[in-house]
Structures are given as structure tokens and as C-alpha cells.
Amino acid sequence: MTAQNELRLLPWSGPEGKPCYLSTDDKGGYMSRLADNIEADQLDAAVILLEHASATLDDQDANPEDLRQLTGELTGILRDVLRIATGRGHLLGVSEPHRF
């Protein structure tokens, strides 16, 4: 089992939006692989959404509802990417990002 300071922040939230952590030395274990796959899917989704956002912002006919929906989607994906970055930073011994 890993030490308390070596817990992996998982790329999903638990009940009530609380962070989930994994404690294992087995980087090839089922939960580690599941977390790796979900992180990869989240990062792929971020790339696709960024392309969609660029196209939407370039569209002169984009209406306020399109922009509102895009903003919601970007907020969600940014939350996922920030969780991944925070988790990976923790593994590298980097402090958490500042809150604005």
C-alpha cells in the first residue's frame, strides 16, 4: 500500500462531489488502468471540445443559447482537466494551483 502522501487523485468525484483517491502500489492494477483510461478519454474530449469552441466562436451566427451551452461544456471539461493536472502534479510533488 502507498504512503498517505502518495495517494492518487482519481479523475472522478465521489458522493457530494468529494475527491476520490486510490491507494495502491500496483500501477498496472484494474483501478489504476481504469483511471488512466478515463483520464485519456477526458483529455480527448477536451481536444474535441476546444475545436468545437473555436468553430463556434468563429461563427458570426452563433446565438446566445449556443454560447451559453458551450460555456457550460467548457466549464465541465476544464474541471476534469484541472483535476487531472492536480492529480499528476501531486504525483510529481508539485503544489496545488492557486485558487482565484
Side-chain angles (χ1 to χ4, degrees), residues 2-3 7 9 13 30 34 38 68 79 84 86 88:
T2 57
L7 296 176
L9 177 63
S13 297
Y30 175 77
L34 177 63
I38 289 174
R68 190 173 301 111
R79 186 176 294 114
I84 293 167
T86 300
R88 291 181 181 183

Side-chain angles (χ1 to χ4, degrees), residues 11 13 18 22 38 40 56 60 68 81 94:
S13 297
K18 294 182 179 180
L22 177 63
I38 289 174
T56 300
Q60 296 297 320
R68 190 173 301 111
V81 170
V94 177

Side-chain angles (χ1 to χ4, degrees), residues 2-50:
T2 57
Q4 179 69 17
N5 62 350
E6 295 177 6
L7 296 176
R8 177 181 180 172
L9 177 63
L10 295 172
W12 58 80
S13 297
E16 301 172 6
K18 294 182 179 180
C20 292
Y21 295 91
L22 177 63
S23 175
T24 183
D25 289 329
D26 187 3
K27 295 190 186 306
Y30 175 77
M31 290 301 293
S32 292
R33 289 190 329 268
L34 177 63
D36 290 343
N37 290 335
I38 289 174
E39 285 180 354
D41 289 346
Q42 289 172 329
L43 293 173
D44 289 344
V47 169
I48 293 166
L49 184 57
L50 181 58

Side-chain angles (χ1 to χ4, degrees), residues 56-88:
T56 300
L57 293 173
D58 288 342
D59 181 2
Q60 296 297 320
D61 296 325
N63 62 48
E65 183 57 34
D66 292 337
L67 296 174
R68 190 173 301 111
Q69 180 178 355
L70 176 61
T71 302
E73 292 170 359
L74 287 168
T75 300
I77 207 75
L78 181 58
R79 186 176 294 114
D80 292 343
V81 170
L82 181 58
R83 184 181 297 118
I84 293 167
T86 300
R88 291 181 181 183

